[in-house]
Amino acid sequence: KTRAVLELIHLLCLKYPGLYVLIVRKVAKSLPGSALRTYRRDVVHRADGVKFRGHTASEPAAYLYPNGSQIIIGGLNDTSLILSTEYDLIYVNEALGTDKDPSIDLEDYETLITRLRPQSEGHQPVNSRGEPFRDRRLICDGNPSHEKHFMYQREKEVNPRSGRPFLRVIKSYPQDNPAYFNEDGTPTEKGQDYIDKLDATTGTRYERYRLGKRVGIQNAIYTTFKQW
């Protein structure tokens, strides 16, 4: 799921010069070892001419494209720089949390939505055919969480102003990843190793990561409970 979202972001940055994207996680320090590693290793290529700009006192860290597109990166634990501007596209990596990182909450989610707007009156990325970028959106990914997570609740609710659900959940499975499974459904060597690791988990981890079930409690995974 992460690879697919990053590929989409990269292609849009190449297609629409001047696109402004935010990649964010609840805690900034978790990004380099997760989504950004996948971006550098599997998505962006040297021939694309993308340069990295480190974090400064006045600017957040970013990947800069030759055509003016930018991917800003940061964490919701420090929003002083990343939420001081507007974006065409926002991607929240591991929005539902992990064993080590907390989930985003409704306030985080709705705050990010308010940043989806043009940077200025004249800001309008346009592709080579003169078609403007109009599909501003917030994309989140994550492994299954507990059933009462606010995202699952919002999936069931309809926005009374638009008549559409507040958000749409797209389910994905290891079989969807071409690095893990061949077209005929057989696992690759890497895929079999991944499935074997998931099969070795127990309790809530197995139910979430292997079976895709919405189980457990908020921001925690407990395999056993002990009454005191």
Side-chain angles (χ1 to χ4, degrees):
K1 54 189 180 298
T2 298
R3 173 75 182 273
V5 176
L6 291 172
E7 291 282 4
L8 172 64
I9 289 173
H10 180 58
L11 290 174
L12 290 174
C13 283
L14 294 174
K15 184 177 180 180
Y16 292 93
L19 199 72
Y20 216 60
V21 179
L22 172 64
I23 295 180
V24 68
R25 197 160 170 168
K26 182 69 173 181
V27 180
K29 67 180 181 180
S30 301
L31 271 173
S34 55
L36 298 185
R37 180 176 59 186
T38 301
Y39 173 78
R40 294 189 302 267
R41 182 189 63 199
D42 302 324
V43 178
V44 70
H45 302 284
R46 183 176 300 176
D48 295 322
V50 178
K51 304 295 183 181
F52 177 73
R53 180 192 70 207
H55 174 91
T56 69
S58 59
E59 292 183 305
Y63 289 96
L64 310 178
Y65 285 69
N67 64 3
S69 293
Q70 296 188 36
I71 298 178
I72 306 300
I73 57 177
L76 291 169
N77 58 314
D78 182 8
T79 60
S80 57
L81 291 179
I82 63 171
L83 294 186
S84 62
T85 188
E86 294 78 34
Y87 300 93
D88 299 301
L89 182 66
I90 298 175
Y91 165 43
V92 185
N93 178 237
E94 295 294 356
L96 281 72
T98 67
D99 288 0
K100 298 180 179 179
D101 293 338
S103 162
I104 67 168
D105 56 32
L106 182 59
E107 181 177 355
D108 295 327
Y109 181 81
E110 293 188 341
T111 298
L112 290 172
I113 288 177
T114 67
R115 312 319 296 166
L116 283 172
R117 50 183 175 171
Q119 288 185 307
S120 62
E121 186 175 345
H123 175 78
Q124 182 59 75
V126 176
N127 64 19
S128 60
R129 293 183 292 184
E131 300 167 337
F133 181 81
R134 299 188 183 281
D135 196 11
R136 290 187 175 87
R137 69 188 101 165
L138 172 63
I139 301 175
C140 303
D141 76 358
N143 289 304
S145 183
H146 58 98
E147 181 62 37
K148 293 189 179 298
H149 192 282
F150 82 88
M151 285 192 174
Y152 296 144
Q153 301 307 307
R154 299 227 94 181
E155 177 191 14
K156 303 172 185 177
E157 299 170 356
V158 174
N159 186 329
R161 291 174 288 279
S162 68
R164 299 191 301 269
F166 279 104
L167 58 81
R168 180 165 64 111
V169 174
I170 301 174
K171 294 182 180 180
S172 65
Y173 303 91
Q175 290 82 353
D176 299 327
N177 191 333
Y180 291 160
F181 282 84
N182 301 306
E183 291 186 6
D184 62 2
T186 57
T188 63
E189 182 178 348
K190 185 177 180 180
Q192 187 60 59
D193 179 67
Y194 178 64
I195 294 299
D196 289 343
K197 285 183 170 61
L198 293 182
D199 283 340
T201 60
T202 59
T204 304
R205 288 188 184 87
Y206 180 78
E207 292 185 272
R208 283 188 182 181
Y209 302 149
R210 183 67 176 97
L211 304 181
K213 293 184 177 181
R214 302 174 179 181
V215 295
I217 60 178
Q218 186 172 3
N219 291 333
I221 293 179
Y222 298 100
T223 53
T224 60
F225 287 87
K226 182 176 181 179
Q227 185 173 347
W228 296 90

